[in-house]
Amino acid sequence: MSDIRGPGRAPGRVPGRVAALVRRVAAATPAGRDRGMDALRAAAILGVVLGHWLVTALVSEGGALHGASPLTHQPWLAPVSWVFQTLAVFFLVGGYVAARGLGPVSGRRPLGEGLCGPGSGRGSVPSYGPWLRARLVRLFRPVAAVLALWSVATLGLLAGGTDLGTVRTLLKLVLSPLWFLLVFGALTALTPLVARLHPLWPLAVVVHVDLWRFGLDGPEWLGWINLVAGWLVPYCLGAAWARGRLGDPAGVRATGVVLLAGGAVTTAVLVVLGGYPASMVGVPGTAVSNLNPPTLAAVTFGLAQCGLALLLHGPLNRAMRRPLLWTGVTLGNLSALTVFLWHQTALLAVTACGLLADTTLPGLHTVPDGPGWILARLAWLPVFALALAVCWTAFHGIEHGRGSRGTTAVVRVHRPAREGAKRHV
């Protein structure tokens, strides 16, 4: 056992190998690293994963599986979606990191690179082509493994006589999250054009689309304009933050208060008086979804989340000075895409294995129509996490363009060395 000291903290006892990893990560982290931004990104990923695991039910009926949601049977659970629908924070961080990566801010090099990868402190600003290529390769390389595995799995299921409805349900759960990567990749490619765009412009597009769609009974396809415009709002806000347009730290906090209060009040008005759904995720069987495609309520709610993120950034930055906590956030960020892409596969694997028990397991195969299902599903979360850990062990190396060779093989947090070279873990 070894001691790990954090600034102003009492020593803690942790296993020797963990202590060694913590020391290496702490030593390799540049002094200017924006740790609060990494913490926000990690929290956003965690919210997405837990949200999907909590509101996704696979009901076994007549030898087939079909999707269901506890929000359909228990609408009072809508506040759960307010906690775990954290995509706006992800786009906020993405806009911040992309804007920093394409140009210096106050003469400094970007503090972060990639969707969830390391930053290298000071250095030369990359040209657009290599910068974009590196980010898109990092973004979409892990997708190939998911598509390859599920292509083989689909052929096997169909050859084995699996019900077509079951196969369709499984593929929808696995592939539907990929829309996020497509939108994020498109906004990344457009960063030189949108980085200086004021967030009010895409917000105005969302307002007009919803007015036309709902107020003037316009065609439903108009809503898909918001798939880009809606997520462009937090992305542009992040870019504005990176470029110093929110002012000094006091200005950032003031902006956070305005966004949090204004976004929350506006969302409440839209839900109570405007007829928008209370849930911030899609609910099967409802006529309108706040997320698919995004509505004005989803965007104003996302602005409230962004306001909270602006307020939490400073405290998180200080909290990340604790070496053990920072190491956990670092490892989580370095595997963020792997976790995002495989968390639904982990859920499906546990569900499929549960079918071998030849009985209907509460919280896994039952209709999510009561508090008992909720308690049972909470008990399954550690099992989902274990299955995800297995997926991570098998596939995390692909995210970094190498084979899986253990945890430390993917930890690459750069720090300028004395002679100007870079050391990495």
Side-chain angles (χ1 to χ4, degrees), residues 188-214:
T188 298
L190 293 173
T191 298
L193 299 177
V194 304
R196 291 178 172 83
L197 186 66
H198 197 286
L200 287 179
W201 287 108
L203 179 60
V205 172
V206 175
V207 171
H208 283 83
V209 166
D210 273 24
L211 282 175
W212 196 354
R213 180 185 174 196
F214 300 124

Side-chain angles (χ1 to χ4, degrees), residues 74-168:
Q74 307 173 77
W76 57 271
L77 289 174
V80 173
S81 68
W82 306 346
V83 177
F84 295 108
Q85 205 288 78
T86 52
L87 288 175
V89 177
F90 218 116
F91 281 97
L92 174 77
V93 175
Y96 181 96
V97 172
R100 297 280 284 189
L102 271 181
V105 180
S106 301
R108 293 179 63 90
R109 174 68 165 87
L111 297 178
E113 296 176 358
L115 171 64
C116 52
S120 56
R122 297 176 182 272
S124 59
V125 177
S127 60
Y128 173 72
W131 174 86
L132 180 62
R133 188 181 309 112
R135 288 177 65 85
L136 293 185
V137 168
R138 174 74 185 278
L139 193 64
F140 291 106
R141 180 169 49 210
V143 175
V146 177
L147 296 179
L149 183 143
W150 275 98
S151 295
V152 174
T154 300
L155 293 175
L157 291 170
L158 294 175
T162 303
D163 176 73
L164 287 177
T166 296
V167 175
R168 185 164 51 248

Side-chain angles (χ1 to χ4, degrees), residues 261-402:
V265 170
T266 303
T267 304
V269 171
L270 290 172
V271 171
V272 175
L273 302 180
Y276 284 84
S279 173
M280 290 300 146
V281 298
V283 180
T286 57
V288 177
S289 166
N290 272 325
L291 194 59
N292 191 32
T295 64
L296 178 60
V299 174
T300 57
F301 176 77
L303 286 174
Q305 285 185 317
C306 291
L308 182 60
L310 293 179
L311 295 174
L312 291 177
H313 175 257
L316 285 174
N317 221 350
R318 293 187 291 272
M320 290 302 109
R321 296 297 168 182
R322 301 178 63 177
L324 191 59
L325 186 58
W326 169 238
T327 298
V329 168
T330 298
L331 296 179
N333 273 288
L334 288 168
S335 300
L337 279 176
T338 302
V339 170
F340 176 79
L341 289 170
W342 291 99
H343 73 279
Q344 292 288 61
T345 298
L347 181 149
L348 296 177
V350 173
T351 303
C353 290
L355 293 174
L356 300 177
D358 198 27
T359 185
T360 301
L361 298 176
L364 200 61
H365 310 125
T366 53
V367 177
D369 57 359
W373 185 92
I374 300 172
L375 295 176
R377 175 50 62 99
L378 291 175
W380 282 108
L381 292 184
V383 185
F384 297 156
L386 180 61
L388 180 57
V390 173
C391 294
W392 178 86
T393 301
F395 299 108
H396 74 269
I398 298 174
E399 185 172 347
H400 301 269
R402 61 176 71 84

